[in-house]
Amino acid sequence: MEEMLMHNLLNGERETQIQAANELGKLSRRQKHKLVERGIIAPLISMLCSQDYEAVEAALLSLLNLACGSERNKIRIVKSGIVPVLLEVLQCQSTTLIELTVAAMLILSSCLENKLEIASSGAIQRLVEILNGDLADDDNSYGRISVQAKIDAIATLHNLSTCHQLISPIVSSGVTYCLLQLIHSSEKSSGLTEKAIALLENIVSSSEDALQEIAATCGAIRALVETIEEGSPQCKEHAVAILLLICKSCRDKYRSSILKEGVMPGLLQLSVDGTWRAKNMARDLLLLLRDCSSFGSRSKQLKNELVEQIMQEIDAEGDTVAGTTLRLVEEMIAKLSTL
């Protein structure tokens, strides 16, 4: 069967090639390995260069099938020159092909040996364009980019960002502002927001330039505070981590900006019922945000006293807050919101 499949891919007409590519997924791991050794990757990449969407889809699915679960195949596929071809496919008009192509980039970028080569081919900028929805010049290009394609594009950038050498080009691509826009405009508990804010934390924890860019971007702190209030547990964890990094970078400069966005109720709630990591970071941020001065209005003094009282209740309970104490803390947080 392998012999015929290889022959049909190399020498067959359009329909025969498409059928052969579709048959590849039915083979055993051992049979696929034999075909890779015999050079099946090259004719599949050639099919990607076709203007025939059906042929391109069949080739993409076959290459995805070969790459899944095999680091060796991922390396061979990239070394065969697929990345520039994939970047060309991303300029097509098909939502399905764009999704499959980004999925291929995601799988191939999971291999450490492929990261630099993928980035050097210009993939970072193209992935950011996907997030911006501006792959083409026409006005309808944004609508052609599905949520799944954006999630996979973010995940691919996250894979690449684990290579320290690529942090600088990723930051230079403009992805930081792009991610903030996605977080601002998306449901705070959505999968897209979760992927976007996780990548954002990864970038700002490795780049001071990215951290300062976020801190200086209008609406960024507000979006992070909203995520602490409305996001999923993981989104809240990443949001408080970023705010903590911002505040630590220059407390005197950013403390007031963070407080003005009304972060305290959400932060106090997170210190009670967040993930283990989120609780610890929320408490660290609360310590940085506390006003140690004895001056200010009566309302400000009341807020400070209430925050101190809430934190004492939380500290007294440790990592787990009992039901009665939790209700008391929640009542105090609600009161804080009215001051």
Side-chain angles (χ1 to χ4, degrees), residues 261-306:
E261 297 300 341
V263 72
M264 293 304 284
L267 202 55
L268 286 162
Q269 190 71 49
L270 190 61
S271 70
V272 174
D273 59 14
T275 65
W276 180 84
R277 180 171 178 253
K279 285 180 184 179
N280 288 328
M281 291 187 295
R283 293 171 190 180
D284 288 345
L285 184 53
L286 282 166
L287 289 172
L288 287 173
L289 294 176
R290 282 196 290 188
D291 189 356
C292 301
S293 68
S294 58
F295 303 101
S297 66
R298 178 60 182 158
S299 174
K300 187 175 180 181
Q301 290 173 12
L302 286 172
K303 283 185 179 181
N304 289 336
E305 289 169 6
L306 192 52

Side-chain angles (χ1 to χ4, degrees), residues 103-116:
M105 297 281 283
L106 172 57
I107 290 173
L108 295 173
S109 67
S110 67
C111 176
L112 179 62
E113 193 167 327
N114 288 339
K115 297 181 193 290
L116 290 175

